[in-house]
Amino acid sequence: MKKTLVITLTLIFALSLTMGAAAEEITVWGWGVYPDTLEKMADQYQEDHPDATINVELIGWSDMVPRLQAAMSAGTGGPDLATVTLGTHIASFAELGGLTDLSEYVDPISDQFTNAAYAGSRYKDTTYGIPADIGPYTMFYRTDIFEEAGVDPESIKTWEDYIAAGKTIMEETGSHMLPWPTTHYELGNWNFEPALRAAGGNFFDQQGNPIVNKLSINYKVIEVMQKITDSGIGLEATPWTTPWNAAIQNGDVATVLAGGWFIGNITEIAPETSGNWRVMQAPNFTAEAAGSMGGTAMVVPSTSDNVELAVDFAKYVLATKEGTKFLFQDAGVMPAYKPVYETEAFSKEIEFFGGQKVWQKLAEISKKELATWNATPYSTQVFGNEGAPINLQLTRILTDRVELNKGLDKAQEAVVDLME
């Protein structure tokens, strides 16, 4: 009887150990260059955590939002970890109740991320995202075109400087200064919003009320855009199209204004131009402040059954020097995690950019990024998409010569109507 009892207890104890060591599994949704990098990092993580399984799936940028919304509505079928845009996506999903509160995991290490990235990971004083990459607003420029025109890029600090340099470059080389799709909503995404952020402008106040026509700086930024349009230094080419790629490849444009993440794209778009590009802070009304364009965070949908593993893997990728070093080296994106800026890898000279220490330059710009942008659940509806009211009025102002005051009044009215 005793022998039987001992054997039984031994089996129960062994079974309990097996159950306690049950393998954990999460699914991660990523877009763009992230999935390949995340898969490699998942392999590394699993080597140190053999009981964990990390499944990485590629979700197209345009598919991420509707698929997450569908999963949140259904209460099932979503990932445990997903890549979303800082600010706008976080505000939208948090308002739906679809995100896990990550304050206890992120707030104690918030000082390790850039101010703008941390601010973009929060909504209504709650942290929902772990900052991933950032998009300090950057001027990518062709040194060969600038040299031919006799223009010193370091002389460009303000928008007035930029426009004057663009006129000289056009006169001396025939190249336009930048892609400038005046009739496409992407003009707002690539040029208006980042410039507005750099200048301290906003579409909403901190309480989420629309203030499109209530800030003088909003008018001032559009006046600059009107000057660029009227000067003729912009080339009609829409981002991510074949003509746009060709303009970058062929030297039809001397600069591209984009988020720092564009490093990972331009090397693929125009590899034959290697050595001719450099980066510097995009123009602004003052060189003491910088804007941001895009950037992402990783979030844990509220449907996840394995929050701890999801957060631990995300922090491994996004909040360690080893993880973020691999992130910027493999994916070519600018990490939000500041400690990696002090590593030797971050001072590496990049051949494509003529030996410039590009990552250090982006780190310098990111320190000036303003963290004053107020994202709301309505942000993506009122701006940044085809047919969005602010984009529509911007086009009317720049191309149809609608008076600035009337255009912004119309935009304000449309946003108020949309929110009612």
Side-chain angles (χ1 to χ4, degrees):
M1 182 70 177
K2 286 183 179 180
K3 185 174 181 181
T4 303
L5 179 61
V6 169
I7 293 173
T8 302
L9 290 174
T10 300
L11 287 172
I12 292 173
F13 179 68
L15 180 61
S16 69
L17 286 178
T18 303
M19 291 176 66
E24 297 181 294
E25 185 172 355
I26 61 170
T27 296
V28 182
W29 285 1
W31 70 47
V33 293
Y34 269 104
D36 290 341
T37 302
L38 288 174
E39 283 184 351
K40 295 172 186 175
M41 300 199 76
D43 291 340
Q44 295 176 19
Y45 183 86
Q46 289 168 148
E47 287 180 8
D48 297 328
H49 303 80
D51 292 324
T53 300
I54 314 294
N55 301 307
V56 178
E57 296 181 16
L58 169 63
I59 306 295
W61 185 87
S62 60
D63 295 328
M64 182 67 79
V65 170
R67 288 191 59 176
L68 280 175
Q69 288 174 333
M72 290 174 186
S73 297
T76 185
D80 299 281
L81 196 62
T83 306
V84 300
T85 299
L86 287 167
T88 53
H89 286 172
I90 286 178
S92 298
F93 292 133
E95 186 68 24
L96 290 173
L99 299 180
T100 302
D101 180 352
L102 302 182
S103 300
E104 65 176 294
Y105 306 102
V106 181
D107 289 358
I109 58 172
S110 62
D111 62 343
Q112 297 181 38
F113 300 104
T114 65
N115 291 336
Y118 176 61
S121 297
R122 292 168 57 79
Y123 178 64
K124 291 184 177 179
D125 299 321
T126 301
T127 304
Y128 292 100
I130 302 173
D133 70 282
I134 57 176
Y137 202 35
T138 302
M139 185 176 92
F140 292 76
Y141 66 95
R142 285 279 295 261
T143 56
D144 52 340
I145 297 176
F146 271 73
E147 288 171 5
E148 183 182 347
V151 174
D152 178 8
E154 294 299 326
S155 67
I156 299 176
K157 308 294 182 186
T158 67
W159 287 111
E160 294 296 330
D161 297 334
Y162 184 78
I163 293 170
K167 290 178 179 178
T168 300
I169 285 173
M170 278 203 70
E171 291 172 1
E172 298 297 328
T173 71
S175 294
H176 288 78
M177 190 60 164
L178 78 167
W180 194 251
T182 52
T183 58
H184 197 279
Y185 69 87
E186 286 286 18
L187 179 68
N189 295 338
W190 279 73
N191 302 103
F192 180 36
E193 183 184 322
L196 198 63
R197 288 183 181 225
N202 255 304
F203 299 139
F204 298 93
D205 63 18
Q206 292 182 334
Q207 288 71 47
N209 302 307
I211 52 174
V212 181
N213 65 342
K214 301 185 184 302
L215 295 182
S216 60
I217 194 62
N218 291 2
Y219 292 81
K220 192 174 180 180
V221 172
I222 296 181
E223 287 171 352
V224 167
M225 298 188 71
Q226 188 70 71
K227 289 179 181 178
I228 293 175
T229 301
D230 294 344
S231 71
I233 64 173
L235 176 68
E236 283 286 348
T238 302
W240 310 122
T241 64
T242 299
W244 184 74
N245 288 345
I248 296 171
Q249 295 161 354
N250 302 332
D252 295 333
V253 291
T255 75
V256 178
L257 301 179
W261 43 261
F262 191 58
I263 285 176
N265 301 105
I266 194 171
T267 53
E268 294 183 356
I269 292 171
E272 67 282 358
T273 63
S274 177
N276 289 330
W277 291 93
R278 304 289 187 278
V279 302
M280 60 182 286
Q281 181 178 328
N284 192 12
F285 296 105
T286 170
E288 302 307 310
S292 57
M293 179 183 174
T296 66
M298 299 202 81
V299 297
V300 179
S302 53
T303 52
S304 173
D305 293 325
N306 208 333
V307 174
E308 294 293 331
L309 177 57
V311 170
D312 194 61
F313 176 65
K315 290 177 72 174
Y316 170 75
V317 176
L318 307 174
T320 65
K321 288 183 179 179
E322 295 75 16
T324 50
K325 183 173 73 172
F326 191 79
L327 184 67
F328 81 80
Q329 289 181 322
D330 189 69
V333 294
M334 176 70 179
Y337 184 67
K338 294 190 295 185
V340 76
Y341 300 170
E342 309 303 323
T343 63
E344 184 178 348
F346 224 73
S347 341
K348 184 179 178 182
E349 297 178 351
I350 307 301
E351 182 181 353
F352 184 89
F353 293 93
Q356 185 183 24
K357 296 179 180 179
V358 171
W359 300 110
Q360 280 191 351
K361 177 59 70 173
L362 293 183
E364 292 173 15
I365 301 171
S366 70
K367 292 176 182 177
K368 302 179 184 180
E369 277 186 291
L370 297 184
T372 54
W373 189 251
N374 299 318
T376 80
Y378 295 98
S379 293
T380 55
Q381 298 177 54
V382 305
F383 183 81
N385 292 305
E386 187 173 4
I390 297 177
N391 295 82
L392 285 174
Q393 293 306 320
L394 178 62
T395 298
R396 293 184 67 221
I397 291 166
L398 296 182
T399 62
D400 298 339
R401 299 299 175 178
V402 170
E403 290 182 20
L404 178 54
N405 288 350
K406 291 182 179 179
L408 286 186
D409 286 346
K410 284 285 187 182
Q412 175 77 5
E413 292 171 8
V415 173
V416 171
D417 290 344
L418 188 149
M419 294 176 64
E420 289 180 347

